[in-house]
Amino acid sequence: MTEPSSPVQQPPQGGNPRAEPPMFNLPPIVTWVVAANVLVHVGRMFLSYPAQEWLFRTFAYMPARYSVEGAFAADPVAAIVSPIGYTLLHADFMHLFMNMSFFMAFGTVVARRMGELKFLLLYALTAIAGVVTLQVLNSDSTAIVIGASGAVSGMVGAVAAVALKPRPDRLPPPRPFNDPRNAAVFIM
C-alpha cells in the first residue's frame, strides 16, 4: 500500500517564492533616519571620552544654553544645532532600540501619507516642539536632553490626527486607528 503523496506548493507567479510580505517594509526616508541614528550611536562608541564629551556638549539640548546670559554666545554652534541634533544621541542601545522601534512603527504610517520632504519637516518641527516645551517648563536646567522621543511623539500625534480626521482623498488610517474611538482611547 502506498500513501498518497502530499501536494507540492508552487511558488507564486513572478518568481518570488515567499508569499508573505517582508517583515520590514519601511519607506526609504524612515530607513535613512533610523540608519543615521544607529550610525551616530555606533560611531560614538569608538570616540575617546573627550570627543564624546564634545559631541554631547555640542549636540545635546540644554535649556540653560538659551536662558542664562552669555551661554548662547559662548557656543553659538551648539545653540544652533542642538534643537534638532539631540535626536541623534542616545544614552545606550536600549534607549536607541526603543526610540527607533516606535519611530519605525509610527513614522512609517506618517511617511507614506506625507512624502519625504514634509515628513522630514514634521520630524524637525516635532523635535523642536519637544525642546521648546522643556524650555518653557524648566528653562534654567543644565541637564542635557538626548534621544528622539520628541520627534517620535510627533509621529504618534500625526497618526492620531490622521485617525481622528481622515480625509477621503487619502489612504485610510491604519488598523486599529481606522475607528476614531480606538484612536481617542489610544491618545488618552
Side-chain angles (χ1 to χ4, degrees), residues 37 83-84 86-90 95 99-100 102-103 121-134 145-158:
N37 277 272
I84 294 175
Y86 81 98
T87 64
L88 295 171
L89 298 174
H90 292 83
H95 185 203
N99 269 319
M100 293 302 103
F102 280 98
F103 176 71
L121 184 61
L122 178 68
Y123 183 87
L125 289 176
T126 55
I128 292 169
V131 293
V132 166
T133 303
L134 176 68
V145 177
I146 57 173
S149 298
V152 171
S153 296
M155 298 300 132
V156 173

Side-chain angles (χ1 to χ4, degrees), residues 56-57 60-68 71 134-135 138-145:
F56 276 87
R57 203 172 45 248
Y61 186 84
M62 184 187 337
R65 185 178 287 145
Y66 302 91
S67 60
V68 174
L134 176 68
Q135 188 70 36
N138 203 0
S139 63
D140 293 333
S141 175
T142 56
I144 62 169
V145 177

Side-chain angles (χ1 to χ4, degrees), residues 72-95:
F72 187 92
D75 195 354
V77 172
I80 292 168
V81 300
S82 69
I84 294 175
Y86 81 98
T87 64
L88 295 171
L89 298 174
H90 292 83
D92 54 27
F93 278 108
M94 183 56 77
H95 185 203

Side-chain angles (χ1 to χ4, degrees), residues 105-130:
F106 291 97
T108 296
V109 175
V110 176
R112 287 198 176 122
R113 283 164 176 74
M114 294 186 81
E116 292 183 352
L117 188 58
K118 287 180 184 177
F119 176 79
L120 283 178
L121 184 61
L122 178 68
Y123 183 87
L125 289 176
T126 55
I128 292 169

